[in-house]
Amino acid sequence: STESSTKKHKMKKDRTHLRKGKWTAEEEEYTTRIIHHFSTGLLTLPEGTTLRSYLAEKLNCDPMRITKKFAGASCLGKRVYHLCERSNATVTDIEMAKAELAGLEHRFRLRIEHGQSGVPLPPKVDFMAGGMRYLPFAGIPPTMQ
């Protein structure tokens, strides 16, 4: 079973590069919106994907870090993605969610890469009651600004 021992070695090795510790504001904002879009069915995910594993993958951290962050009242439990739970979302809604998350992920990655060194971050996404309005951001196509 050389293949399984190689796989275990790779998993162990990969864990050394996982995020740990304090959450950045950008990471929390990105996570909040992922949870929202997961809950409303606007993500394109395989049936049965758990929110905890999806967040751990997107944030490059151990799933236990997610569990610890969302313990107690904000517990994520074993929330599983089901396509049938998708609301009356249109293709435009799904594309807007993708664009929003791409912008937030970009901000999060910049913060991780540069730390608190004062590197200017792209502007935040702004949400208005009754719909989403995007502030200018280089990663969002002009038609969505």
Side-chain angles (χ1 to χ4, degrees), residues 91-105:
V91 172
T92 303
D93 294 331
I94 293 166
E95 290 303 315
M96 286 177 69
K98 279 184 188 175
E100 176 195 7
L101 291 178
L104 291 170
E105 181 176 15

Side-chain angles (χ1 to χ4, degrees), residues 3-115:
E3 187 177 319
S4 68
S5 65
T6 303
K7 190 175 182 180
K8 284 180 187 175
H9 177 69
K10 278 186 179 180
M11 283 177 62
K12 245 183 193 176
K13 185 179 177 189
D14 290 346
R15 286 180 167 266
T16 61
H17 299 291
L18 294 178
R19 282 195 40 71
K20 295 177 170 107
K22 188 168 170 28
W23 288 61
T24 66
E26 293 79 12
E27 185 174 26
E28 289 184 5
E29 183 178 16
Y30 179 43
T31 301
T32 298
R33 297 311 294 165
I34 288 174
I35 293 168
H36 171 75
H37 293 311
F38 185 99
S39 300
T40 57
L42 289 176
L43 300 178
T44 309
L45 299 174
E47 181 78 16
T49 301
T50 66
L51 180 54
R52 179 177 177 247
S53 66
Y54 183 68
L55 286 171
E57 176 189 327
K58 296 305 283 181
L59 301 175
N60 190 35
C61 68
D62 190 288
M64 185 52 76
R65 184 170 181 257
I66 305 297
T67 301
K68 288 178 181 178
K69 177 72 174 175
F70 294 97
S74 60
C75 181
L76 299 178
K78 293 189 182 251
R79 289 166 71 182
V80 178
Y81 192 79
H82 296 289
L83 291 174
C84 61
E85 290 177 8
R86 186 168 280 170
S87 59
N88 296 328
T90 65
V91 172
T92 303
D93 294 331
I94 293 166
E95 290 303 315
M96 286 177 69
K98 279 184 188 175
E100 176 195 7
L101 291 178
L104 291 170
E105 181 176 15
H106 182 66
R107 287 175 55 82
F108 163 59
R109 301 271 174 229
L110 280 174
R111 175 60 68 213
I112 299 310
E113 188 177 325
H114 298 288

